[in-house]
Amino acid sequence: MKYKAVIFDNVGVILNENHKNWSKRIAEYYNLPFDSIYQSYSRQKAWQLFKRGKISETEFWQQGNKKLGKKLDLKILKKMARRARRPRKLVVKLIKKLKNNYVLGLLNNEGREWDNYSFQKNSFYSLFDIHLASYHFGVAKPKERIYKILIKKLKKYNIKPEETVYIDDYLENLKSAKKLGFVTIHYKSYNELYKSLKKLQII
């Protein structure tokens, strides 16, 4: 089959970042238990609200502080989270290569401020033809609704789900995409991603 589009998840695929990374940084900085930080900020309702655009980043950290029972400096917390957002150079190089032949998309669960930071800091994000983030629509992966929005966006390019490859590091997200007809790749490492794309004759 001739594939026409490649859709990337951002955090965990393009960015070598996850909540455990910045939780570790914060824990080390304040000399606090990692699990306390991770559970208080990342595993609470505040993250669900933040990534759906229901609360701001400031409110996200404030609610985490409340859960933790401490008043950690918000400026430091924001700085730690941003420092963890490091692009994978080989994946970025791959995106630039694919741009010549495919419609590129970004489908990510993200809070507005974090997403904006990535776009402002890294020029390669301008290569994406489609950008759908959870905060845009108030719905996050793996809910099927966000994939159906993606299908509508692809339709403008006369591209069907079965002509589209979707890459994500979370299996639950891939299950929903596959159910709607997308060809999926589970990101585990750059080398495995490259092999999978080569097998599909995309590169």
Side-chain angles (χ1 to χ4, degrees), residues 47-89:
W47 166 239
Q48 301 301 321
L49 294 172
F50 179 41
K51 72 180 178 182
R52 287 175 172 82
K54 305 299 182 183
I55 62 173
S56 68
E57 180 186 8
T58 295
E59 290 172 305
F60 164 73
W61 292 116
Q62 286 173 336
Q63 290 190 30
N65 274 350
K66 186 176 180 180
K67 193 70 181 178
L68 184 64
K70 294 183 180 293
K71 292 184 178 181
L72 304 188
D73 191 309
L74 299 187
K75 289 183 180 180
I76 291 174
L77 297 178
K78 291 177 181 181
K79 188 176 182 179
M80 293 289 183
R82 282 158 177 73
R83 280 185 176 177
R85 303 179 72 83
R86 297 180 308 229
R88 289 187 167 112
K89 292 181 180 179

Side-chain angles (χ1 to χ4, degrees), residues 149-162:
I149 295 171
L150 173 60
I151 290 172
K152 288 182 180 179
K153 295 287 185 181
L154 288 167
K155 196 172 182 180
K156 293 179 180 179
Y157 295 89
N158 295 313
I159 299 174
K160 301 174 183 177
E162 55 267 29

Side-chain angles (χ1 to χ4, degrees), residues 10-192:
N10 192 28
V11 174
V13 177
I14 298 173
L15 298 181
N16 183 27
E17 188 266 345
N18 59 50
H19 289 207
K20 290 184 178 180
N21 287 351
W22 53 254
S23 293
K24 184 179 179 181
R25 287 172 179 266
I26 293 167
E28 289 175 350
Y29 183 88
Y30 282 104
N31 194 26
L32 292 169
F34 162 80
D35 198 54
S36 295
I37 299 296
Y38 184 62
Q39 293 298 328
S40 296
Y41 297 96
S42 180
R43 300 295 90 184
Q44 297 301 324
K45 186 180 179 181
W47 166 239
Q48 301 301 321
L49 294 172
F50 179 41
K51 72 180 178 182
R52 287 175 172 82
K54 305 299 182 183
I55 62 173
S56 68
E57 180 186 8
T58 295
E59 290 172 305
F60 164 73
W61 292 116
Q62 286 173 336
Q63 290 190 30
N65 274 350
K66 186 176 180 180
K67 193 70 181 178
L68 184 64
K70 294 183 180 293
K71 292 184 178 181
L72 304 188
D73 191 309
L74 299 187
K75 289 183 180 180
I76 291 174
L77 297 178
K78 291 177 181 181
K79 188 176 182 179
M80 293 289 183
R82 282 158 177 73
R83 280 185 176 177
R85 303 179 72 83
R86 297 180 308 229
R88 289 187 167 112
K89 292 181 180 179
L90 289 176
V91 176
V92 172
K93 187 176 180 180
L94 176 63
I95 290 167
K96 292 177 178 178
K97 186 176 181 180
L98 293 175
K99 177 63 179 176
N100 296 323
N101 300 301
Y102 300 93
V103 169
L104 297 182
L106 189 68
L107 179 62
N108 58 322
N109 285 348
E110 192 66 283
R112 182 183 303 275
E113 291 88 344
W114 291 355
D115 208 37
N116 288 343
Y117 172 79
S118 288
F119 272 75
Q120 291 166 7
K121 187 172 176 61
N122 304 288
S123 61
F124 70 84
Y125 283 104
S126 64
L127 298 174
F128 290 100
D129 305 287
I130 297 170
H131 172 218
L132 301 178
S134 54
Y135 71 86
H136 285 155
F137 306 99
V139 62
K141 301 179 290 186
K143 296 290 184 182
E144 287 187 12
R145 184 183 152 207
I146 199 163
Y147 299 95
K148 289 178 179 177
I149 295 171
L150 173 60
I151 290 172
K152 288 182 180 179
K153 295 287 185 181
L154 288 167
K155 196 172 182 180
K156 293 179 180 179
Y157 295 89
N158 295 313
I159 299 174
K160 301 174 183 177
E162 55 267 29
E163 298 172 316
T164 305
V165 175
Y166 175 60
I167 304 160
D168 203 304
D169 59 324
Y170 276 97
L171 285 172
E172 286 300 314
N173 296 340
L174 294 171
K175 287 178 184 177
S176 296
K178 194 170 185 178
K179 186 177 178 182
L180 292 172
F182 292 94
V183 176
T184 61
I185 294 176
H186 183 205
Y187 184 91
K188 296 179 181 178
S189 69
Y190 172 79
N191 288 338
E192 289 195 35

